[in-house]
Each structure stands twice: as structure tokens, then as C-alpha cells.
Amino acid sequence: MKKLIGAIAIVLTYSACKFNTAQTTLPIYGNRTPVTKTVDGKTETDTVYQTIPAFKTVNQYGDSITNKSLDNNIYVADFFFTTCPSICPVMHRNMLTVYDAFKSEKGVKIISYSIDPKHDSVNVLKQYADKLGIAGNTWWLLQGKKDEIYKLSESYLVRRPEEDAKQLFIHDGYFLLIDKQKRIRGTYDGTLPDQVKQLIADIKTLKAEPDQISGK
Amino acid sequence: MKLKVISVICLLLGVLFFSCQTDDEITFKRYYTTGSIVYQNSCQNCHGKNGEGLSALMPPLTDSVFLKANKASLPCFIKYGLKEKLLIVNKKPFEGNMPAMDLAPIEIAEVLTYITNSFGNKMGVVTVQQVSYDLDKCK
């Protein structure tokens, strides 16, 4: 009897450990749809997750950047504009900590879509990048067609930007964590240092997931 | 008798002196406390919680020499903003726009009292009279 209790205790401890390791993957956000296919005469059901659709932009160096440019990268995305007087400076002060944590690592990128492409030309974005103190190809500031960027924001599950009466752009300050399969794996309030700390920790967790190492 | 009169006068002077001091201190504290709230609402996003600024985009508010040299212009910077004006802060150039802040003279006095006595600065109270005077002379 005593042996049995001992055995149960060992099993319980082991399963508790296993449960803990299962926690080190991040959730997958967005809509999911079941897809049933027939493979070799058998029907199989697979889950298809929401992914970031194709987009076309240019970065602060004038290089063309599309969704393909981010293949094989985990990336963090946000929406901003250079003349933003409200939350953008806070967001990018916090994003700088993410940049500093990953600027020397391959496979992690940051992209900031401008929601004011009329003003934020390649030149303006380059000046902003220089003043912010970012260089290289870790953090891209992107200019695209306004309608496309606004439409794209919905795929990132953030509020669609709006212009108010004073011609200021209203948007929210979320940072989105996207995996190599272009699925949304985390949303963080970019104005709060604690949440940005969590983002840095989550990027490390995500990088260690088997799906991210294989990239498939 | 004479000693009594003198001591009473001394005591009165002492009380007067002491109460004047605390009055100033109370004014300072009131300005400073309200100023910190104005700062949070109107300045902190760009200039940072500790007045550290943001890289070369937003100037820090830690340059006491700059603040002293531009004391009379500070209310104008806040009220009317800055447009492509070159400022040298902490020996670094800053050239950009600062939005105009829709603040009353009393709020400007409060926030300036907060800024010029935080982040390593110590310049004393900025009165609403001084701010109104400086605002009249804005270019």
C-alpha cells in the first residue's frame, strides 16, 4: 500500500512538471477555421489560423518591403506617425528597449507602419530613425498606401486609425508579436513599460518553440 | 519693562519672519504638486517621466544652464510651441516642432515650478505674475 502511494506521488509530481513545461508556448490569437481535406482516401481536419496578409511598403532606406521581406523572422509591429504628439514618443521610448535587446540577433525584426504616409516620406522616416538612434535593418519604419495600411491594421487586430477634426490621427498603442508563420502570438500595450518587458520575455519564449526553430 | 517690550517685539518679528517663510513654502509646494499633474498630462509623453527626453528627437529637461539662460522664454515655448527652432540642450542640437499647449498662465507657472525644481534642477518658484509678464513679451 505504501509503495502504491509512493508511486502515485511520483506520477503526480511528474505530471505537474510536464504541465509546467507545456506553459512555455504562447497562445495563438485571431480567427481560426477548421479545414477538412481528403488525404490518401482519409478525411483529415486541420485548423487554419488567422495570418497577416500580403502588403507592399518602402522602409526608411527607400527599399521595397513586403510581407516576404519578413519571411523567416519573428517580428513586432506597431502603428505610428512621426509628428504624433501623444502616445508615439512613449511607444517608441519603450520600443527602443525591445530594439536594444534584439538588435544584434538574427531572426527578430521590428516594423512600424506610418499611418500618415502623406507626411512621412522616406526622407522624413530616415531623419526620424537617425534622431531616434536606430541603424541597420532590425527596425524598419514603413510608408505605404494609406488605405492599405488602415485595412492592414484590422488584420493585426488593432483599432483602425481615424482622423479627428484637428487632422490628428487617432490610433491605439499596441505592439503585436508575429511568428514566422505570420500568426499573432501576443498583444501588448506599448505605452506601459511592464507590458513591454513581458514582450521581450515572450519573444525569447517564442524563439525557442519548435515551430519557430524549423520555420514551418 | 524695557526688556519685556524688546522681547515681545523680537517674538513678533520672529513669528512674522517664520510665517512668511512657511507661506512661501506652502506656495511652492502647491505649485509644485499641481505642476507635477500638469506635467504628466501635457509634457511627460515626449519629455519622459524623469525629464530624460527621447534620443535626439525630444530634448531632455535636465540642462539647468539652458533652463536658467532661457527662463523668460520658457512660458512662450509652452504656450505657443516651437517650429523648427534650433535649441542646444545638454550640448546637443535639437531641431523639431513642439506643439503649443493650451494652458492657463497659472498652469504654466505650476508646471515650470515643477520642471525647474525636478530632474536635478533647483530654481525656486515660478510665479503666475512672472509668467504673465513673460507671456506679454513673447515674440
Side-chain angles (χ1 to χ4, degrees):
Chain A
M1 186 62 197
K2 255 189 183 166
K3 269 187 186 166
L4 189 69
I5 291 173
I8 289 170
I10 289 168
V11 167
L12 277 178
T13 318
Y14 181 70
S15 60
C17 288
K18 272 208 96 155
F19 178 73
N20 276 341
T21 51
Q23 286 287 295
T24 56
T25 54
L26 301 180
I28 300 170
Y29 293 97
N31 294 324
R32 52 191 70 189
T33 40
V35 173
T36 311
K37 286 184 289 193
T38 314
V39 182
D40 300 334
K42 282 181 233 159
T43 47
E44 286 178 3
T45 306
D46 216 349
T47 311
V48 174
Y49 294 95
Q50 179 174 336
T51 54
I52 303 302
F55 62 86
K56 268 177 87 172
T57 54
V58 284
N59 68 6
Q60 71 265 39
Y61 305 113
D63 301 331
S64 160
I65 300 296
T66 67
N67 50 308
K68 287 224 160 47
S69 318
L70 292 154
D71 284 355
N72 234 356
N73 279 285
I74 288 166
Y75 70 93
V76 182
D78 74 354
F79 293 83
F80 87 115
F81 58 110
T82 61
T83 50
C84 165
S86 53
I87 58 172
C88 309
V90 188
M91 288 163 63
H92 281 178
R93 184 180 289 117
N94 291 333
M95 191 68 100
L96 268 178
T97 63
V98 182
Y99 170 78
D100 285 334
F102 297 101
K103 65 182 169 192
S104 52
E105 276 183 51
K106 273 199 165 166
V108 180
K109 286 200 186 298
I110 301 168
I111 55 172
S112 294
Y113 296 97
S114 168
I115 55 169
D116 183 13
K118 198 173 155 197
H119 177 268
D120 293 342
S121 62
V122 168
N123 245 342
V124 171
L125 292 175
K126 177 69 169 66
Q127 269 185 21
Y128 182 87
D130 289 346
K131 286 185 176 177
L132 195 61
I134 61 170
N137 280 296
T138 298
W139 190 348
W140 288 330
L141 308 170
L142 304 177
Q143 181 200 27
K145 285 205 183 84
K146 193 169 154 185
D147 296 347
E148 289 176 18
I149 299 293
Y150 283 24
K151 183 103 190 17
L152 191 62
S153 71
E154 289 165 6
S155 307
Y156 281 103
L157 303 178
V158 299
R159 174 180 175 178
R160 192 186 169 106
E162 291 166 57
E163 275 173 84
D164 71 4
K166 282 187 192 160
Q167 296 266 298
L168 284 172
F169 299 87
I170 303 166
H171 62 122
D172 60 19
Y174 278 93
F175 293 172
L176 297 312
L177 178 58
I178 313 297
D179 68 11
K180 288 185 182 173
Q181 290 76 22
K182 306 198 188 296
R183 301 171 301 192
I184 302 169
R185 303 300 296 275
T187 66
Y188 312 83
D189 186 337
T191 61
L192 303 174
D194 281 353
Q195 294 214 4
V196 177
K197 235 188 217 166
Q198 186 60 46
L199 165 62
I200 293 174
D202 284 356
I203 293 174
K204 289 175 185 161
T205 306
L206 183 59
K207 275 187 81 174
E209 283 183 16
D211 274 6
Q212 303 307 308
I213 295 165
S214 69
K216 278 176 195 155
Chain B
M1 182 63 198
K2 214 176 185 181
L3 193 73
K4 253 190 185 169
V5 170
I6 289 172
S7 61
V8 163
I9 287 171
C10 278
L11 189 73
L12 277 176
L13 278 176
V15 165
L16 206 65
F17 182 72
F18 194 70
S19 59
C20 277
Q21 277 247 314
T22 46
D23 244 15
D24 273 358
E25 255 167 42
I26 288 167
T27 308
F28 175 80
K29 276 187 187 144
R30 206 179 61 220
Y31 270 49
Y32 187 89
T33 312
T34 326
S36 78
I37 294 160
V38 178
Y39 184 82
Q40 279 171 30
N41 293 335
S42 300
C43 320
Q44 187 166 303
N45 277 345
C46 292
H47 292 289
K49 199 172 172 216
N50 302 306
E52 74 272 26
L54 177 59
S55 303
L57 280 170
M58 314 289 178
L61 303 174
T62 53
D63 186 347
S64 297
V65 178
F66 174 90
L67 292 176
K68 267 185 199 137
N70 292 281
K71 203 175 174 198
S73 308
L74 298 177
C76 307
F77 292 173
I78 295 172
K79 175 98 186 168
Y80 299 108
L82 291 166
K83 232 184 157 81
E84 266 140 53
K85 189 175 161 71
L86 178 73
L87 300 175
I88 308 293
V89 183
N90 278 356
K91 297 184 180 133
K92 285 188 199 124
F94 288 89
E95 196 179 16
N97 297 336
M98 171 166 146
M101 292 294 155
D102 191 18
L103 295 174
I106 178 71
E107 289 173 303
I108 295 176
E110 286 159 349
V111 79
L112 279 176
T113 301
Y114 177 75
I115 291 167
T116 57
N117 293 284
S118 302
F119 325 133
N121 307 312
K122 206 165 175 57
M123 288 166 59
V125 68
V126 178
T127 62
V128 63
Q129 289 81 5
Q130 186 62 43
V131 166
S132 303
Y133 178 82
D134 290 338
L135 282 177
D136 280 343
K137 293 192 158 38
C138 286
K139 279 171 207 156

